[in-house]
Amino acid sequence: MSNVDSLDTIVSLAKARGFIFQSSEIYGGLSAVYDYGPLGVELKRNIRNAWWKEMTRRHENIVGVDAAIFMHPKVWEASGHVAGFNDPMIDDKQSKRRYRADMLIEQYIFKLEKDGKTDKAQQIQQQLDTAGTRKSLTEDLYDIIIENEIKSPDSGAFDWTQVRQFNLMFKTAFGATASEDDAVYLRPETAQGIFVNYKNVLDSTRVKVPFGIAQTGKAFRNEVVARQFVFRMREFEQMEMQYFVEPGTDEKAYEMWLEKRLDWHKSMGIRSKNLRFSPHPPDKLAHYARAAADVQYQFPIGWQEVEGIHNRSDFDLTQHQEYSGKKMEYFDQAQNKRYIPYVIETSIGLDRCTLMVLSDAYRKEEVDGDSRVVLKMHPKLAPIQVGVFPLVKKPELQELATRISSNLKEDYSVQFDEAGSIGKRYRRLDEAGTPFCVTIDFDGLEDDTVTVRHRDTMDQERISVGQLGRYIHDHMNSWQTPED
Ligand code: ATP
């Protein structure tokens, strides 16, 4: 289980410590849009860098691109987003609040499970799993809500509109004299920027199938429901990789990526007990998908998707070939044959991943009758990796501390702090997830040593100044996920 009982705990900490703020907060905020503060921007960048390193540098056959957010409108016709990127919505007539019908049902199931009503929960889950097979999806969802008398979570009313489909793409106009014909969309996923550059990458590099193209960047979705902090945003960041393979080798590649991606989550310090696969049942697969599974994390709001891994067949490239009129075939020289590659996709949301890291790291512990909040995240992700504290504000200590701090800054993000008692300084950096704090005292001036204090165990060790860089490096690399 997560150590956090409610999402609000993370929301408050994120705001108080400068990880994440609501967008335009002084104007009352903009729903489902968030800004990252000084700690958040570092954490997010560290996660993005870790993903990029894993997906590109550690693989000889994966290259990166950085495609524009605006794309030719035909892209979204070819991809199927104009016709089908919809979510089912339903309105509470009394409060006028809007809900995503499927999520309203999921929330209800979650509540039943929490209340120990597992039979009823299972029965409704089954109905949800087969929604769209009895009548249309919207009609089936409506029936489930009505039959089970699911009330509005906010007003408590049972006064619903019909379920309707709602397209999630943001539309805007291009150019000064724009008309309806010049409509463009803010991309709802980064994947299409990879597909439309597949030919360019093939022609400009020496990659050969199997190969991958990775990209990180902003995506925009006009989500129906946006009340779950950075779990579901209208502007968010994705990290996606499309792996192009020969048809027939796709199943093996899919299995390989499932395993690699789960391992990556664990290597980021996420506890195994909070991670699981959730394969999509064959009858729930998108029409183009041959297989799909989510990596789910046990968030404070329940088990939810953090990453999707999909075998997309040759659907995307075939569609782009048809809509653009450009050949998307690959010529396999060794086998002297042509084919349109199949694609295995790994798609993860950076903001959702950041929320996962914060939720998994969070602990509230009793220490000597006092409580401390500590973020036990992987040291490589920590926004501040080392705190440097002169014990008191004395020039000799400040001088040595400044020297130590500037040396460490070459390799780590360091915060120099001389305000307040040492205990308070430790607590401040515990809440920021800082794995090591270095304290400089008067004894150290004599024997050239400092105290290193460890965030997770609060153990302290005396280390010579000359060994400090290596000591931190070694401890960072041998860090083990605390399973508590
Ligand atoms: P969901 O079912 O939660 O709406 P999805 O299946 O539509 O998600 P994908 O289209 O597979 O999501 O997107 C890949 C990843 O992008 C998701 O696993 C998630 O981490 C992230 N993501 C998608 N939508 C959002 C959003 N609105 N806010 C934050 N992250 C998102």
Side-chain angles (χ1 to χ4, degrees):
M1 257 298 276
S2 161
N3 300 68
V4 191
D5 47 8
S6 129
L7 199 54
D8 292 342
T9 310
I10 299 296
V11 177
S12 315
L13 178 82
K15 181 176 161 145
R17 293 313 321 268
F19 281 99
I20 302 170
F21 308 121
Q22 183 154 36
S23 157
S24 327
E25 198 181 348
I26 57 169
Y27 290 99
L30 185 64
S31 162
V33 186
Y34 291 89
D35 298 340
Y36 285 77
L39 292 186
V41 69
E42 294 289 339
L43 173 59
K44 192 170 149 187
R45 193 189 305 273
N46 291 341
I47 298 173
R48 190 194 297 111
N49 287 347
W51 183 88
W52 190 258
K53 185 172 174 189
E54 171 65 28
M55 300 304 275
T56 64
R57 282 200 234 152
R58 292 214 173 104
H59 291 91
E60 290 284 337
N61 62 346
I62 303 182
V63 294
V65 294
D66 185 12
I69 286 170
F70 287 129
M71 301 184 73
H72 195 288
K74 273 233 171 311
V75 168
W76 307 110
E77 286 176 35
S79 68
H81 282 81
V82 171
F85 194 51
N86 302 317
D87 270 345
M89 62 177 190
I90 188 165
D91 291 356
D92 169 6
K93 286 192 214 162
Q94 296 203 359
S95 68
K96 306 270 183 288
R97 284 193 93 160
R98 179 158 288 174
Y99 298 86
R100 222 173 96 177
D102 53 338
M103 286 173 35
L104 182 70
I105 301 167
E106 272 173 15
Q107 240 179 23
Y108 185 64
I109 295 171
F110 183 57
K111 192 170 165 293
L112 288 175
E113 277 168 352
K114 252 185 150 174
D115 296 346
K117 298 178 183 159
T118 34
D119 285 354
K120 180 85 179 152
Q122 270 171 12
Q123 181 212 326
I124 303 178
Q125 183 67 53
Q126 219 161 35
Q127 288 181 312
L128 186 60
D129 287 344
T130 51
T133 56
R134 296 176 292 270
K135 300 180 192 164
S136 70
L137 177 68
T138 48
E139 285 170 310
D140 274 349
L141 292 175
Y142 181 76
D143 287 352
I144 298 172
I145 291 168
I146 301 304
E147 273 168 29
N148 294 292
E149 294 181 22
I150 300 178
K151 298 196 176 72
S152 161
D154 299 290
S155 71
F158 184 60
D159 193 4
W160 298 110
T161 61
Q162 289 296 321
V163 176
R164 282 162 296 157
Q165 291 285 12
F166 174 75
N167 193 291
L168 299 184
M169 283 201 293
F170 283 99
K171 205 175 191 180
T172 185
F174 215 56
T177 54
S179 67
E180 191 44 31
D181 298 341
D182 307 306
V184 290
Y185 300 97
L186 298 185
R187 66 180 178 199
E189 61 174 33
T190 55
Q192 298 305 322
I194 293 178
F195 292 126
V196 299
N197 278 299
Y198 149 85
K199 266 270 165 214
N200 287 335
V201 170
L202 264 186
D203 295 345
S204 61
T205 68
R206 303 185 57 229
V207 291
K208 288 192 173 68
V209 167
F211 72 96
I213 306 179
Q215 165 163 239
T216 71
K218 286 277 175 123
F220 303 82
R221 296 183 186 179
N222 200 1
E223 297 281 358
V224 177
V225 177
R227 293 189 274 275
Q228 288 163 317
F229 196 39
V230 295
F231 179 82
R232 190 171 300 285
M233 303 156 87
R234 296 203 165 104
E235 173 181 341
F236 58 101
E237 194 166 334
Q238 286 187 315
M239 308 191 287
E240 297 197 295
M241 194 278 302
Q242 313 291 329
Y243 197 68
F244 300 87
V245 302
E246 184 183 348
T249 64
D250 50 306
E251 280 171 29
K252 227 170 150 187
Y254 171 73
E255 294 298 328
M256 173 183 84
W257 280 108
L258 282 182
E259 201 176 311
K260 275 181 184 262
R261 293 308 303 150
L262 190 66
D263 286 350
W264 181 79
H265 285 268
K266 292 180 191 163
S267 77
M268 300 280 285
I270 306 300
R271 288 167 294 178
S272 319
K273 63 180 178 186
N274 287 333
L275 288 166
R276 72 178 188 195
F277 279 127
S278 168
H280 296 197
D283 58 326
K284 298 294 275 184
L285 289 174
H287 59 285
Y288 53 80
R290 285 167 59 91
D294 298 335
V295 176
Q296 290 190 335
Y297 174 73
Q298 192 168 20
F299 284 98
I301 48 173
W303 286 99
Q304 297 283 349
E305 166 180 349
V306 65
E307 170 157 14
I309 295 132
H310 312 118
N311 179 346
R312 300 180 66 104
S313 72
D314 58 1
F315 172 79
D316 305 271
L317 291 180
T318 307
Q319 287 290 103
H320 286 304
Q321 173 166 289
E322 189 184 323
Y323 279 72
S324 69
K326 302 280 184 311
K327 280 240 171 297
M328 292 291 160
E329 277 176 343
Y330 172 77
F331 178 59
D332 186 329
Q333 266 179 335
Q335 301 189 69
N336 194 26
K337 69 176 186 189
R338 288 178 194 281
Y339 54 81
I340 294 188
Y342 272 28
V343 169
I344 309 302
E345 165 180 84
T346 73
S347 174
I348 176 167
L350 177 51
D351 311 86
R352 221 176 255 193
C353 192
T354 305
L355 181 62
M356 169 175 75
V357 169
L358 287 173
S359 307
D360 211 63
Y362 185 95
R363 310 280 195 287
K364 193 167 187 180
E365 298 175 344
E366 288 299 315
V367 183
D368 302 332
D370 213 1
S371 76
R372 76 157 181 162
V373 167
V374 54
L375 297 180
K376 294 185 176 176
M377 64 176 72
H378 196 302
K380 73 181 172 194
L381 301 182
I384 303 166
Q385 289 161 322
V386 190
V388 176
F389 310 155
L391 185 62
V392 287
K393 285 187 191 169
K394 283 278 179 323
E396 328 66 300
L397 297 184
Q398 287 167 320
E399 194 260 324
L400 178 57
T402 308
R403 190 150 50 82
I404 289 175
S405 157
S406 33
N407 278 342
L408 290 172
K409 274 180 186 163
E410 288 300 313
D411 299 310
Y412 305 106
S413 63
V414 178
Q415 188 168 89
F416 184 94
D417 188 358
E418 52 182 12
S421 72
I422 281 290
K424 283 218 175 83
R425 286 183 253 173
Y426 285 152
R427 292 290 182 277
R428 267 202 293 271
L429 288 194
D430 282 345
E431 285 188 9
T434 303
F436 310 103
C437 290
V438 177
T439 301
I440 294 95
D441 59 20
F442 288 104
D443 288 347
L445 293 179
E446 305 294 317
D447 61 5
D448 218 24
T449 59
V450 291
T451 302
V452 178
R453 183 262 198 184
H454 295 261
R455 173 197 67 195
D456 297 352
T457 55
M458 293 183 290
D459 289 347
Q460 304 194 3
E461 274 184 88
R462 213 61 203 172
I463 303 294
S464 78
V465 174
Q467 298 285 312
L468 194 56
R470 158 84 19 212
Y471 178 89
I472 289 174
H473 173 269
D474 290 349
H475 277 77
M476 201 167 261
N477 286 311
S478 60
W479 183 83
Q480 301 276 329
T481 307
E483 288 296 334
D484 60 313

